[in-house]
Every structure is written in C-alpha cells, then in structure tokens.
Amino acid sequence: NQHKNCVLRIFLMQTYGLDYLNRQNGVIIDAAGGKGELAWELINLSGVKECVVVDPRQLNLSLVQTKWKKGLFEPKRTGPVFSKWYPACEDGCKMRQSKTPRHIRCFLDGEACLDFMNAASDEDISRAEEWYQNQLIRAKEMSWTSKGLTHEDGTSYKEEEEDTNNDEKLPSETLETTESEIGCSQEARKVLQKSHLIVGLHCDQAAGEIVDFAAARKIPWCVV
C-alpha cells in the first residue's frame, strides 16, 4: 500500500507506453485523486506533460515533495534496475522545483461533467459556468472526517442518517484556494475535452463515473 502510486504508475507506463501517455495536446485525468500523489508521480517521475486531478479535496503533496528534496528519486538512489521507471529524474534533480499537478476541485459526476464539457450554445455555456462555480463552492464546503467525506450538513456519505457533528475532523484547509486549482470554467472544460486517459486509484464511488465518462469519450480507463 505504501508504494501503490508507484505500482500503478509503472503499470500505466508498461501498458500504454510513454508516447501515448505524453500524447500531444492530451491530458490524463486522475479521478478521485485524493492527495494528488499519482498525478505528481506521473508528471515528475515519468515525465508526463499533463495530468490533472479531479477531486473535491485539497491536494497534499508534502510527503512526495519531501522525498524529492531528499533526492530519493534520483538514479543513484533507485539503482540501475528501477531507474528506467523514473525517466524524468536525473542525479541532482532534487535541486530543481517539482511540478504540482493542476486540480479541478469538484466531484466527477460523469453525466454532469459531460454536459459541462460539451456546452456549445451561449445559454449552455452560461449554465455550465454556473454549474462549475457551484461545484467549487460545494467542494470547499465539504470536510474530511474519520468516517470519510461529509455533506455540507454534516451527514456522512457512508452513514447518511447518522449525526457526525462529533466526528474527529482531520487536518484540512478546505476553504483555501491554491494556485494549482483551476477556477476558470472555460479552462476546466478544455482540460476535460483534451482527456485521452482517465485513471482512478482507490476511487470508491467514482469508479462507475470513470467508466461512464470514458465510454462516452471513447477513451481508455484504468480503475484499481
């Protein structure tokens, strides 16, 4: 479990190859990507140009960034056998700044996301803009507790009727907006339109949405 992101990243490299992962003008979607570590690894360790996280939670890359600064991904640390899976890393890469993946901070609702992405008329685009801004607000009003993600009213997704006001809140700054977050609906639509692969690691309820989105887009998907 400690190396789950690395294992899936290598699987994607083996299955699709770097040429496809780096498809010109393409975007890999990391759906329900949580902290954003898989997307970060694909960009910084595999050299993928664009991998965008779609998740209502704020990214938390402190662990992988600490490992990066310590040089743990450099060839002299990974060794000759494993260094081929770190093509974007070279000795001394810890001296340069790692890249933070961009982030669409909302839920992956397959049908709604497709309607948002495919908006064409002025009326549809206006409706899409309103929908996206509401999704951003909704995401920031969510909180992550020991029982999982909760609604704005405090009820848990797993235990809809149970009062979770006494749940222990996990450390979070959910109301903060970071530079990596895509606040512009037009830019978010472009990202989804360019998607050529969608992946989900421990994506739980989002698994079905990933498959539906990929089927509608006629792109490959990978869910673990």
Side-chain angles (χ1 to χ4, degrees):
N1 192 53
Q2 181 181 358
H3 303 290
K4 60 182 182 293
N5 293 299
C6 179
V7 171
L8 179 53
R9 176 176 63 84
I10 292 174
F11 171 81
L12 295 174
M13 292 173 66
Q14 291 175 322
T15 304
Y16 299 104
L18 277 178
D19 287 343
Y20 182 79
L21 296 181
N22 266 325
R23 181 177 173 180
Q24 187 175 8
N25 296 322
V27 176
I28 298 174
I29 300 296
D30 180 11
K35 296 180 180 180
E37 292 178 341
L38 175 60
W40 184 93
E41 285 200 14
L42 283 166
I43 293 171
N44 292 284
L45 308 187
S46 297
V48 170
K49 295 174 184 176
E50 183 85 279
C51 182
V52 176
V53 179
V54 178
D55 194 290
R57 290 165 288 181
Q58 192 173 48
L59 302 186
N60 183 352
L61 299 166
S62 57
L63 179 59
V64 289
Q65 287 173 340
T66 297
K67 290 181 178 180
W68 175 271
K69 291 176 182 178
K70 291 181 178 180
L72 299 184
F73 302 116
E74 297 181 8
K76 62 184 177 182
R77 300 298 295 270
T78 58
V81 175
F82 292 101
S83 59
K84 66 180 180 179
W85 303 117
Y86 297 79
C89 300
E90 72 283 348
D91 288 334
C93 65
K94 67 179 181 180
M95 301 306 294
R96 57 182 169 84
Q97 188 73 26
S98 66
K99 299 176 182 178
T100 299
R102 293 200 293 168
H103 182 197
I104 296 178
R105 193 171 176 181
C106 69
F107 292 90
L108 180 71
D109 181 334
E111 185 175 351
C113 282
L114 287 168
D115 290 341
F116 166 72
M117 179 186 69
N118 294 325
S121 67
D122 291 342
E123 182 179 354
D124 287 344
I125 291 174
S126 178
R127 190 181 299 112
E129 164 72 20
E130 181 179 2
W131 176 85
Y132 186 66
Q133 295 305 321
N134 287 337
Q135 288 298 302
L136 296 180
I137 294 171
R138 178 190 177 201
K140 292 176 183 180
E141 289 178 343
M142 294 289 180
S143 61
W144 189 259
T145 73
S146 58
K147 291 184 179 179
L149 200 61
T150 59
H151 293 285
E152 297 92 330
D153 61 4
T155 57
S156 170
Y157 278 92
K158 293 183 179 179
E159 301 178 48
E160 296 282 345
E161 304 301 325
E162 181 174 340
D163 183 2
T164 60
N165 291 330
N166 295 323
D167 284 349
E168 180 184 356
K169 294 288 183 70
L170 301 182
S172 174
E173 296 179 356
T174 56
L175 297 179
E176 180 181 343
T177 299
T178 65
E179 292 182 2
S180 65
E181 293 175 19
I182 300 175
C184 173
S185 65
Q186 183 178 2
E187 183 61 26
R189 288 175 59 224
K190 288 181 180 179
V191 167
L192 295 176
Q193 290 166 355
K194 291 179 179 180
S195 61
H196 68 288
L197 172 66
I198 182 168
V199 300
L201 176 60
H202 294 178
C203 51
D204 299 329
Q205 294 97 329
E209 305 291 349
I210 290 173
V211 176
D212 291 343
F213 181 86
R217 289 274 297 138
K218 294 182 172 59
I219 61 174
W221 55 271
C222 177
V223 170
V224 178

